[in-house]
Amino acid sequence: MTLHLDPADPAFARDPHAFYAAVRELGPATRVTLANGTDAWLVTGYHQARAVLTDPRLSNVPAPQTARHTSAAPSTESPPQARSAQRSVLERHMLNADADEHRRLRRLAAPAFTPRRVDAVAARIGHLADTVIGGLTAKLRQKADADLVDDFAFPLPVLVISDILGVPEADRLDLRAWTYRVGSPAATLPSGQAARAWQSLHGYFTHLIARKRRHPGDDLLSLLTHDRTPQAPDDGELLAMAFLLLFAGYETTMNLLASATLLLLTHSEELLAARTAGDPGWSAVIEETLRHASPLEGATWRRTTEPVDLGGTVIPAGASVLAVLAAANRDPRVFAAPHTFRPRRYAPGNRTAPAHLAFGHGPHVCLGARLARLEAGIALPRLFAALPSLRLATAPAVLPWRPGLLVRGPLTLPVRLA
Ligand code: HEM
């Protein structure tokens, strides 16, 4: 039996979990045919996903000259074709590298993400969060309704990562449009739009890096452009790093904030519990949101370099494999009541829930996990303290969701004050 999957289907985007549960029952890895006609192997169990993410026989390096299903910012449904030169340059980042090359690229960015460096931006995040929430509050009071994605979940992470990278604030709307397009299934976009977005991103970062060379600031891109060590990135690697950090730094965190807010607005008892418990309550909400609403639905695609036996199912050499993090995080063999939003499973001292896989696992485990947790831990309590009467302005069942197999979250979240 061949299973078919159309990741652009709005009903699948809204709730893919019944499909993933059925696939999990079929075995450790299941071959599906995607809407563009290509085959992929989905891995939906928790232990099997961990195995895939640590197995060196599964490579992160894209197959040469064909549009593989995805990369860090994939067009999951693009037909096999040559990548544009610009796209090829932007895709030469650490998530698309293995072994020594991966370690070299990761080491270049890692100093910006040490606990000390990340914790040092807490005060700045607090200030940015207050500014964003102030704007949202004013809008709600004036216009009666607002969109929590556009007015809260998007602007905050983009301001934070722009600060760290040194991206001017004025450019963030363009960047949002371009990264949305390169991270969405091509079938959901007008023809040629994804290709133009890759071109725009390439042009944008080329100019930005040239500017950093001439006028360095106190930011990560300036630091990297002035690295004179033998391991220093070349121009192409710099472009790719800037693109990855921007994309990874806000698309994911935006969806963590949007999903957490949606879950709290639809689970008032959990909102009350978090507000009563303070920091430990909010961090339990954040961990449970990461598990329940995994902002990266799938890890990036891996390719088998030889046949791989995964718990009795043999995946052939050269196959595209997707560890579906959102499905692994709802594996009923590992998580009790997996579809229930239950923050207390991550309450301090409660060791019943295993670690979720929302930040991945193994050598490519998320570099920005501490930053994402910090942002959410600062922003969510401030949002609900400033706006205790916040309510959804629409039924949750009709909210549109981000299509595709990579990024997961609501596209809009209309809210009002009670
Ligand atoms: C809720 C927010 C976030 C989630 C859910 C998330 C999730 C992930 C996951 C699952 C991976 C591994 C993908 C794979 O193995 O294919 C990853 C890698 C990565 N993330 Fe995050 N991420 C988040 C926020 C951030 C932030 C704020 C940054 C900082 C800029 C960041 C930077 C990175 C980088 C650079 C990698 C590549 C690491 C490598 O290849 O070694 N992420 N992230």
Side-chain angles (χ1 to χ4, degrees), residues 53 60 93-97 102 106 109 113 157 161 164-165 241 244-257 290 294-296 298-302 325 357-373 375:
L53 295 175
N60 275 53
H93 52 63
M94 68 183 95
L95 255 176
N96 284 339
H102 165 249
R106 186 169 167 119
F113 296 96
I161 194 65
I164 292 174
L165 285 178
M241 178 97 69
L244 172 67
L245 290 174
L246 178 87
F247 182 87
Y250 93 82
E251 281 272 2
T252 48
T253 313
M254 166 170 104
N255 287 299
L256 169 61
L257 293 178
L290 286 161
S294 311
L296 274 196
T300 51
W301 291 85
R302 269 51 173 181
L325 305 174
L357 298 183
F359 289 120
H361 182 65
H364 290 277
V365 71
C366 180
L367 199 53
R370 190 179 184 95
L371 178 62
R373 287 182 166 121
E375 276 184 61

Side-chain angles (χ1 to χ4, degrees), residues 312-335:
T313 299
V314 178
I315 308 175
S320 297
V321 180
L322 186 68
V324 188
L325 305 174
N329 282 338
R330 294 211 189 180
D331 184 339
R333 295 175 187 93
V334 175
F335 298 99

